[in-house]
């Protein structure tokens, strides 16, 4: 009997989610972050429709990772997904989990954001996989994203390590057809051995040795992986080493070359050494096309370079060192002339940056805050990450910093200790519970002269409206629990009509010479709209 | 057979709905497609674009190379200009002539429209009044899809089916309104300024 082909139109993120769901997943964990959020959103939908899997938003990436690790200890399969900077937050469990003996398959999906479409930086997660000495898979298209995710669980259980799946924005947020397979049953419940999971020095040394021992096996796995492919050219002395979606841009242009070059497509890390050696002996000139940092290129060049070969890539300036690749930049690196296009006289371009929605609660909080800060020459607003970061742009121009999640509170403490007054932190409700609570405990313990304004819109708005776990009164209780004096935890409602009262409350708390909190609570307009539509 | 389309507009104007309708139609017709879209930060009233590629064979790049787009389909005239680099010398522009002015330095509209009109194959659509005629200003996206429909390699009937699926959950009235918007746009088909 011929089986019907099952296919669907999916985002790259959704292809990963579907694959995990079908790979016998028991639980998935994540904290929102563009471009990774749609993985969990899709898993939550699948779990709701079909059951059998727990899919949850967590309070931050470290917590998400550790919850997944607990699932693996219990012998079950787990997925943890995040954006690239999320892995910085989860770096501690990530690095250490490489030394545990992973029991149930653990797949870590990290979506990088070259070009910084929605991020503070464009760090390349392949370095993390290398750092932890684990195996990494990098798909170039939707079908591979699906298939690699399924294989990743098997590899994780085969080698007892977490497997990192690296995505990039262009794949995460691109939609295409995916052919999918059947669902596997979840693993039975078991328990890891304490000696493999308790990283006391004696165990950790043994476990690290075990990790080092399998490194050659991982290279062998890479050499024979069906996801890596080498095509040698009988005629061209050009060899291209390419990975991930860089491969697509090479393919897009390849037919315009006089001679088809040799191409090594890399989808695994560690690198497939044998295949690289074969390509190197077949080619005189090597072009490396990879999305992100020049990871492969650095390794290939080493410290001393490659004798008698020309190596081109990002380090040689043939491709840009920052920003995502495009079919056009790769075309130029291949030595091809740009495609013809019409030139027009005048471009008239005005940029159109994102902005706060009309009626946004953050706008009213900023207006009141700016009013309260009038007249203080040193007034500094340490901000954080969320919709309210858009308060940096005119007409508000209301914030001075945005570095990483939670940094507003800690930097305000540092700023105050350096002598800045008023030293104000502005932080969203979700960012506060993500990583603003711990620095507030620090600040309150020393009763540092600073004011934290929690801009509470009751949702994770920036990334599309995921749930948060503390809003309004609950936030006040948390702050009190962290040691802020209850009379200096004030609650306001950011509305245009409350501007004067609100700025007075903020000013009173600024004038209080200790740690104070103003919680400014009103629901995100987009959420209000969504709810109205549902009704 | 291939068709590369740049969809453009401002966050909230329903670019992704246009994309979705064309995707669904392509799927029904057995074409391959890839559609790169913008999520996150850029959706908040910022410039939004989507690269949509259709073909009867494997498509590699998610992004359209510059000079390769067969069509720019845009719900906002300034946003049309942003992607002119992508247009093939024989490519077609189908654009709203109605500006979305949420920035202080929006250039004079006549200049914007004149810039677009320098191209040989252009259709400027008064999408706002047609959308209102269909029942709501929010259907401008479907007006433009309708105006583009005769140039697309997907069949009109599939597009209409896709619109029904897309808005089905919102009820019969919304479906009808969007189909009407599509039809009003389609009746404006044919190039001319
Ligand atoms: C470590 C890390 N994780 C996730 C993100 C992505 N991200 C940016 S802002 C934000 C949430 C903001 O929520 P909230 O603080 O409630 O502010 P809102 O957008 O709702 O105003 C997230 C998840 C990030 N930049 N860094
Ligand atoms: S999505 Fe919500 S929080 Fe973000 S700008 Fe719009 S109203 Fe404000």
């Amino acid at each position: 009997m011929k089986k019907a082909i099952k296919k669907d139109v999916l985002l790259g993120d959704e292809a990963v989610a579907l694959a995990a769901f079908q790979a016998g997943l028991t639980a998935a964990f994540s904290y929102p972050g563009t471009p990774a959020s749609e993985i969990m959103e899709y898993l939550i939908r699948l779990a709701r429709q079909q059951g059998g899997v727990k899919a949850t938003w967590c309070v931050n990436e470290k917590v998400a990772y550790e919850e997944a690790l607990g699932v693996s200890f219990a012998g079950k399969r787990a997925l943890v997904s995040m954006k690239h900077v999320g892995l910085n937050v989860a770096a501690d469990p990530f690095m250490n989990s490489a030394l545990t003996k992973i029991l149930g398959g653990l797949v870590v999906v990290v979506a990088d954001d070259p070009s910084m479409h929605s991020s503070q930086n464009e760090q390349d997660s392949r370095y993390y996989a290398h750092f932890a000495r684990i195996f990494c898979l990098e798909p170039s298209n939707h079908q591979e994203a699906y298939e690699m995710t399924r294989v990743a669980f098997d590899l994780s259980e085969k080698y007892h390590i977490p497997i990192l799946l690296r995505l990039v924005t262009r794949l995460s947020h691109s939609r295409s057809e995916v052919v999918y397979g059947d669902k596997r049953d979840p693993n039975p419940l078991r328990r890891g051995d304490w000696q493999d999971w308790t990283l006391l020095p004696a165990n950790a040394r043994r476990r690290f040795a075990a990790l080092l021992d399998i490194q050659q096996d991982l290279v062998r796995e890479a050499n024979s992986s069906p996801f890596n492919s080498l095509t040698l050219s009988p005629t061209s002395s050009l060899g291209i080493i390419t990975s991930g979606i860089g491969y697509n841009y090479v393919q897009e242009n390849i037919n315009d070359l006089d001679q088809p070059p040799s191409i090594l497509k890399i989808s695994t890390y560690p690198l497939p050494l044998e295949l690289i050696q074969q390509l190197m002996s077949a080619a005189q000139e090597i072009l490396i096309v990879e999305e992100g940092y020049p990871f492969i290129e650095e390794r290939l060049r080493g410290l001393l370079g490659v004798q008698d070969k020309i190596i081109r890539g990002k380090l040689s300036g043939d491709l840009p060192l920052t920003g995502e690749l495009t079919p056009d930049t790769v075309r130029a690196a291949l030595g091809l002339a740009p495609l013809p296009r019409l030139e027009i006289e005048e471009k008239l371009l005005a940029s159109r940056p994102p902005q706060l929605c009309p009626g946004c609660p953050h706008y009213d909080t900023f207006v009141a805050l700016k009013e309260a800060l009038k007249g203080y020459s040193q007034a500094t607003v340490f901000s954080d990450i969320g919709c309210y970061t858009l308060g940096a742009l005119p007409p508000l121009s209301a914030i001075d910093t945005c570095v990483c999640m939670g940094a507003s509170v800690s930097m305000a403490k540092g700023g105050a200790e350096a002598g800045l007054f008023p030293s104000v932190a502005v932080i969203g409700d979700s960012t506060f519970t993500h990583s603003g609570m711990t620095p507030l405990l620090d600040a309150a313990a020393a009763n540092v002269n600073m004011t934290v304004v929690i801009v509470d819109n009751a949702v994770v708005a920036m990334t599309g409206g995921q749930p948060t776990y503390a809003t309004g009164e609950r936030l006040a209780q948390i702050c009190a629990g962290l040691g802020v004096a209850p009379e200096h935890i004030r609650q306001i409602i950011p509305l245009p009509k409350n501007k004067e009262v609100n700025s007075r409350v903020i000013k009173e708390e600024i004038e209080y010479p200790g740690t104070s909190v103003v919680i400014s609570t009103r629901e995100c307009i987009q959420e209000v709209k969504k709810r109205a539509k549902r009704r | 057979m291939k068709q590369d389309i740049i969809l453009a507009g401002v966050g909230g104007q329903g670019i992704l709905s246009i994309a979705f309708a064309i995707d669904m139609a392509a799927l029904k017709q057995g074409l391959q497609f890839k559609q790169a879209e913008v999520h996150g930060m850029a959706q908040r009233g910022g410039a939004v674009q989507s690269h949509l590629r259709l073909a009867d064979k494997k498509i590699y790049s998610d992004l359209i190379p510059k000079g390769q787009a067969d069509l720019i389909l845009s719900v906002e005239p300034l946003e049309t200009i942003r992607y002119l680099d992508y247009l093939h010398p024989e490519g077609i522009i189908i654009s709203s002539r109605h500006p979305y002015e949420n920035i202080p330095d929006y250039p004079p509209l006549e200049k914007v429209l004149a810039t677009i009109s320098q191209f040989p194959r252009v259709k400027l659509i008064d999408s706002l009044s047609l959308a209102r005629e269909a029942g709501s200003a929010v259907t401008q996206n479907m007006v433009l899809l309708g105006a583009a429909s005769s140039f697309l390699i997907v069949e009109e009937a599939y597009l209409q089916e896709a619109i029904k699926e897309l808005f089905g959950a919102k009820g019969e009235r919304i479906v009808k309104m969007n189909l009407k918007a599509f039809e009003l746009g389609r009746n404006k088909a044919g190039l001319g300024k």
Side-chain angles (χ1 to χ4, degrees):
Chain A
M1 197 180 74
K2 225 176 106 188
K3 267 210 237 161
I5 295 176
K6 294 182 279 187
K7 52 184 177 180
D8 208 345
V9 177
L10 297 173
L11 290 175
D13 275 354
E14 295 171 342
V16 170
L18 178 64
F21 188 81
Q22 294 185 327
L25 189 73
T26 288
F29 308 92
S30 184
Y31 181 74
T34 314
S37 308
E38 289 80 0
I39 300 170
M40 179 53 74
E41 277 170 0
Y42 199 67
L43 274 167
I44 290 174
R45 229 183 304 157
L46 287 172
R48 202 181 296 137
Q49 288 161 0
Q50 302 181 31
V53 164
K54 287 203 167 60
T56 29
W57 290 117
C58 306
V59 83
N60 68 31
E61 293 87 351
K62 177 180 184 321
V63 170
Y65 197 103
E66 290 156 353
E67 291 181 22
L69 208 49
V71 174
S72 170
F73 177 89
K76 303 272 193 177
R77 291 188 160 187
L79 185 85
V80 55
S81 56
M82 60 195 76
K83 69 181 292 167
H84 58 345
V85 288
L87 192 52
N88 298 336
V89 176
D92 203 6
F94 172 73
M95 291 300 297
N96 291 312
S97 67
L99 271 66
T100 64
K101 188 169 180 180
I102 291 297
L103 194 56
L106 173 60
V107 176
V108 186
V109 188
V110 187
D112 291 355
D113 189 18
S115 275
M116 304 179 236
H117 294 285
S118 321
S119 309
Q120 314 103 283
N121 74 23
E122 54 179 26
Q123 67 187 56
D124 185 328
S125 299
R126 293 176 297 170
Y127 288 82
Y128 263 118
H130 177 75
F131 194 15
R133 296 182 193 273
I134 61 165
F135 201 78
C136 171
L137 287 160
E138 184 184 19
S140 69
N141 62 36
H142 299 70
Q143 194 61 40
E144 282 185 354
Y146 176 84
E147 280 157 21
M148 285 182 185
T149 306
R150 291 203 71 152
V151 166
F153 281 101
D154 299 336
L155 290 175
S156 175
E157 289 172 1
K158 178 174 175 189
Y159 293 107
H160 303 289
I161 50 173
I163 306 291
L164 194 147
L165 184 82
R166 182 205 187 208
L167 301 177
V168 293
T169 304
R170 284 300 163 196
L171 179 54
S172 284
H173 285 174
S174 167
R175 216 176 272 282
S176 195
E177 218 173 75
V178 177
V179 177
Y180 59 89
D182 295 322
K183 194 170 178 304
R184 170 194 183 277
D185 286 334
N187 293 348
L189 190 69
R190 290 192 292 159
R191 278 162 40 86
D193 185 334
W194 80 270
Q195 289 181 328
D196 295 330
W197 283 82
T198 308
L199 297 177
L200 282 166
N203 287 338
R205 285 180 202 121
R206 188 175 45 78
R207 289 300 312 156
F208 190 49
L211 180 62
L212 294 176
D213 267 355
I214 62 165
Q215 294 304 307
Q216 283 315 309
D217 301 335
L218 298 184
V219 174
R220 269 193 290 278
E221 186 72 48
N223 284 332
S224 62
S225 167
F227 298 120
N228 295 324
S229 66
L230 174 65
T231 318
L232 291 177
S233 165
T235 49
S236 172
S237 63
L238 174 67
I240 298 175
I241 299 180
T242 180
S243 72
I245 63 166
Y247 173 73
N248 300 338
Y249 303 138
V250 170
Q251 286 296 339
E252 184 72 28
N253 289 298
I254 210 83
N255 292 336
D256 293 347
L257 290 173
D258 295 336
Q259 307 282 339
S262 299
I263 299 184
L264 171 57
K265 170 177 179 280
I266 293 181
S267 310
T268 68
Y269 307 85
L271 294 168
L273 189 59
E274 263 174 31
L275 300 181
I276 292 177
Q277 280 163 341
Q278 285 174 34
L279 180 95
M280 293 291 279
S281 40
Q284 259 318 300
E285 182 184 351
I286 287 110
L287 174 68
I288 300 161
V289 181
E290 53 189 322
E291 186 72 302
Y293 290 11
F295 179 86
I296 299 174
E297 191 178 346
E298 279 174 359
R299 261 139 211 84
L300 194 72
R301 287 177 187 273
L303 257 187
L304 302 177
V306 182
Q307 297 302 311
D308 307 325
K309 306 262 178 197
I310 303 165
I311 311 277
R312 300 197 292 117
K314 298 192 171 200
L315 294 172
S316 63
D318 287 272
L319 285 162
L321 266 170
T322 174
E324 58 186 351
L325 297 172
T326 67
D328 311 301
T329 52
V330 173
R331 187 176 178 83
L334 286 167
L336 294 166
L339 293 166
R341 57 189 104 131
L342 296 173
E343 297 302 327
I344 51 153
E345 288 160 25
E346 190 181 12
K347 277 303 230 37
L348 287 177
L349 266 191
S351 68
R352 198 188 302 259
Q355 38 190 274
L356 293 175
C357 307
C360 174
H362 296 331
Y363 180 84
D364 294 307
T365 307
F366 278 127
V367 169
L369 175 63
K370 284 190 72 159
E371 182 67 25
L373 291 174
K374 267 191 193 149
Y376 295 103
S377 62
Q378 297 276 322
T380 305
V381 178
F382 295 96
S383 182
D384 227 296
I385 308 190
C387 281
Y388 49 94
T389 315
L390 297 172
L393 308 176
L396 283 168
S397 309
I399 66 173
D400 296 297
T401 70
C402 161
V403 180
C404 64
M405 290 189 76
S408 61
V409 180
S410 359
M411 285 178 73
K413 177 171 181 273
E417 283 169 338
L420 288 176
F421 175 77
S423 186
V424 177
V426 170
I427 185 167
D429 49 328
S430 178
T431 304
F432 179 69
T433 51
H434 177 284
S435 47
M437 289 170 17
T438 36
L440 185 58
L441 181 62
D442 243 11
N447 203 22
V448 173
N449 187 6
M450 59 184 268
T451 301
V452 177
V453 178
I454 304 181
V455 285
D456 169 20
N457 58 2
V459 74
V460 194
M462 180 91 256
T463 46
Q466 296 82 8
T468 50
Y469 294 127
T471 173
E473 189 51 38
R474 184 86 186 276
L475 286 171
Q477 289 165 357
I478 290 174
C479 295
L482 291 171
V484 180
E487 63 277 22
H488 294 290
I489 301 170
R490 311 280 295 270
Q491 290 181 257
I492 61 174
I493 300 171
L495 279 168
K497 64 170 186 191
N498 296 346
K499 179 182 158 188
E500 264 155 53
V501 211
N502 291 350
S503 68
R504 187 159 16 92
V505 170
I506 297 172
K507 183 149 180 153
E508 281 166 18
E509 292 313 321
I510 283 169
E511 283 299 323
Y512 162 66
T515 307
S516 54
V517 176
V518 177
I519 303 169
S520 185
T521 306
R522 177 159 71 84
E523 195 181 10
C524 162
I525 287 288
Q526 295 299 338
E527 291 305 301
V528 177
K529 279 191 196 160
K530 269 191 227 164
R531 220 159 0 89
K533 265 190 198 164
R534 261 179 257 133
R535 238 187 275 127
Chain B
M1 184 171 53
K2 73 103 186 166
Q3 192 165 46
D4 288 331
I5 308 166
I6 300 272
L7 301 172
V10 178
Q13 282 192 315
I15 308 307
L16 295 186
S17 299
I18 302 180
F20 187 81
I22 302 178
D23 290 355
M24 292 304 292
L27 190 70
K28 288 178 205 283
Q29 205 165 311
L31 290 173
Q32 310 230 3
F33 67 90
K34 273 196 168 181
Q35 181 228 321
E37 46 192 64
V38 175
H39 294 200
M41 193 91 166
Q43 279 176 307
R44 244 156 284 340
V48 173
Q49 114 285 76
S50 174
H51 290 223
L52 208 173
R53 316 193 73 186
L54 309 171
D56 56 4
K57 56 176 191 297
K58 188 169 169 79
I59 302 164
Y60 285 99
S61 171
D62 300 86
L63 296 176
I64 298 170
K66 292 196 169 153
Q68 268 277 35
D70 302 289
L71 177 66
I72 293 179
L73 177 51
S74 172
V75 192
E76 209 283 339
L78 180 61
E79 295 310 312
T80 307
I81 294 186
R82 215 177 287 288
Y83 307 103
L84 291 174
D85 282 9
Y86 284 92
L87 197 64
H88 188 276
E90 280 153 37
I92 296 171
I93 299 175
I94 297 189
S95 169
S96 168
R97 55 163 71 241
H98 182 73
Y100 187 107
E101 295 186 43
N102 64 345
I103 45 172
D105 50 349
Y106 198 99
L109 182 61
E110 327 74 80
K111 284 204 178 159
V112 172
L113 297 179
T115 303
I116 299 174
S117 299
Q118 291 174 53
F119 283 79
R121 305 176 71 192
V122 176
K123 177 88 193 165
L124 288 169
I125 308 276
D126 192 350
S127 55
L128 185 64
S129 51
L130 292 172
R132 289 203 175 117
E133 191 181 329
S136 166
V138 301
T139 62
Q140 279 193 82
N141 57 349
M142 291 300 128
V143 170
L144 280 149
L145 178 59
S149 58
S150 63
F151 301 101
L152 296 174
I153 61 173
V154 291
E155 279 168 36
E156 192 182 312
Y158 289 136
L159 286 172
Q160 284 163 329
E161 269 179 51
I163 294 174
K164 285 179 201 157
E165 276 172 45
L166 184 59
F167 296 103
K170 294 181 178 169
E172 189 59 16
R173 194 181 66 83
I174 303 288
V175 171
K176 275 205 175 124
M177 188 168 82
N178 280 284
L179 284 172
K180 177 89 186 291
F182 178 86
E183 192 187 313
L184 290 172
R186 190 200 51 206
N187 294 345
K188 294 280 167 197
L191 296 176
K193 295 159 196 179

